[in-house]
Amino acid sequence: MDYNLGWGSQHPGHLVYLVDLSGSMKKGNKIGQVMDALQKSLRLLITKCTAGKALLDRFSVTIIGYHSDIVPLFSGGVQELRSLIANSVSTGKPLFDYEEGGIAEPKWQTYMSNAFEEARRDIEQWISSSNGRECPAPIVINITDGQPEEDGKNLKECANEALQAARRLTSVRTPDGNVLLYNLHIGSSGNINQIILPVERPKSTDNEREDQRIGFLYDSASVLTEKIARMANSFDIPAQAGSHGMVSNVEDTALLIRLIEFSSSLGMVKDATETPKP
């Protein structure tokens, strides 16, 4: 349970990105910021799988958008991911169309519990398809600008349901460790209460809604081991053993990219047994 199994051709890893597509993501073009950060972060990951002109098959990726519905955005390995990113770079378009009518158009509400359940199903299917092969602990990165919110339910009820879904997700285990869940919150202009990988539950603010959101993100996130905390430090991100894998009110895109890259990189080590793909 120490998260020591490096990703490689013999035991590739698996990443799931959950992207909040609720209507509030349009405000301040937060969805554009997320798409830009995600594209740049994934490009950095691809470089860690490159040997000359060949690729090393180190991991697979599932990207899931969510609002009141689940929106499958991408599923594939390193080769497919490189093609997706290359198309985005060459055309100057985002990874996924978020304009009106596009597949990733922000709308409706934040059915986060459904997103966690979809991530759990995806990971359980990935583990099942490994056919007994060693499985590194999968990683889930939830990028949101809010908190669970559904029609006909109050915020507390929504948070409780999403918390239970998150715990079902992080209870999925491999010999390498349980699923790791990171919550990355994108702040709005003017927010100054930035929180990064806290060890203790953040203290109350003067805003009850803000308290509830921060508390949910903290409670549902995975707890960092000493090894993972050291990795965060290597990305110039403050953390220590016992930190919770959540951040709040991040506005700077460069910091968001670092957070995504750190969260995605646990198993990225060299493997002498890897076979490059053309």
Side-chain angles (χ1 to χ4, degrees):
M1 299 289 290
D2 293 327
Y3 303 102
N4 286 325
L5 189 58
W7 300 357
S9 300
Q10 300 303 311
H11 32 73
H14 187 59
L15 290 164
V16 179
Y17 296 93
L18 302 177
V19 181
D20 183 351
L21 298 179
S22 61
S24 59
M25 289 291 286
K26 287 183 178 179
K27 298 177 181 178
N29 194 33
K30 284 177 281 189
I31 185 61
Q33 180 189 19
V34 169
M35 289 298 175
D36 182 53
L38 194 56
Q39 188 232 64
K40 290 177 180 177
S41 301
L42 291 172
R43 286 178 68 186
L44 291 170
L45 288 179
I46 289 294
T47 63
K48 297 178 181 180
C49 296
T50 304
K53 295 183 178 180
L55 285 181
L56 302 173
D57 197 15
R58 287 182 166 174
F59 65 96
S60 57
V61 173
T62 298
I63 305 176
I64 299 167
Y66 66 94
H67 34 54
S68 300
D69 294 334
I70 292 296
V71 184
L73 295 174
F74 176 82
S75 181
V78 174
Q79 184 70 57
E80 293 86 358
L81 184 62
R82 183 171 69 172
S83 296
L84 175 73
I85 295 170
N87 180 68
S88 175
V89 172
S90 65
T91 62
K93 296 180 179 180
L95 283 179
F96 309 103
D97 181 8
Y98 56 82
E99 298 299 329
E100 185 174 356
I103 187 174
E105 177 191 359
K107 53 187 176 182
W108 305 330
Q109 291 185 301
T110 316
Y111 281 53
M112 202 176 291
S113 59
N114 290 353
F116 289 148
E117 290 290 353
E118 187 67 17
R120 180 179 59 81
R121 285 189 287 268
D122 175 83
I123 287 170
E124 288 178 341
Q125 182 178 8
W126 175 75
I127 292 173
S128 178
S129 67
S130 67
N131 296 318
R133 181 182 59 201
E134 287 185 294
C135 292
I139 297 171
V140 179
I141 301 168
N142 177 38
I143 307 172
T144 179
D145 75 331
Q147 61 182 314
E149 190 167 1
E150 303 181 16
D151 286 320
K153 299 178 182 179
N154 61 48
L155 291 178
K156 186 175 181 180
E157 183 180 3
C158 293
N160 286 338
E161 291 183 1
L163 180 58
Q164 295 308 310
R167 287 175 175 168
R168 287 191 292 272
L169 170 61
T170 55
S171 70
V172 176
R173 67 175 61 212
T174 72
D176 186 45
N178 284 37
V179 169
L180 288 167
L181 171 61
Y182 296 93
N183 289 317
L184 307 185
H185 174 261
I186 310 302
S188 300
S189 179
N191 278 321
I192 58 175
N193 186 30
Q194 183 170 271
I195 300 168
I196 299 179
L197 306 182
V199 175
E200 298 181 351
R201 206 170 196 268
K203 295 181 180 179
S204 296
T205 68
D206 294 330
N207 186 315
E208 183 178 355
R209 186 183 177 97
E210 179 88 345
D211 284 347
Q212 188 169 23
R213 176 186 60 74
I214 292 172
F216 166 76
L217 295 176
Y218 178 88
D219 292 340
S220 58
S222 295
V223 177
L224 275 58
T225 64
E226 183 176 349
K227 174 184 176 180
I228 299 173
R230 287 199 305 269
M231 176 171 283
N233 297 158
S234 73
F235 283 88
D236 198 25
I237 298 169
Q240 57 184 289
S243 292
H244 282 230
M246 64 82 73
V247 302
S248 177
N249 292 334
V250 171
E251 295 185 68
D252 180 61
T253 300
L255 174 57
L256 179 59
I257 291 170
R258 286 209 321 277
L259 287 164
I260 295 174
E261 189 186 7
F262 145 66
S263 305
S264 307
S265 297
L266 176 61
M268 249 348 154
V269 297
K270 293 183 178 180
D271 182 347
T273 69
E274 290 177 298
T275 303
K277 290 191 172 184

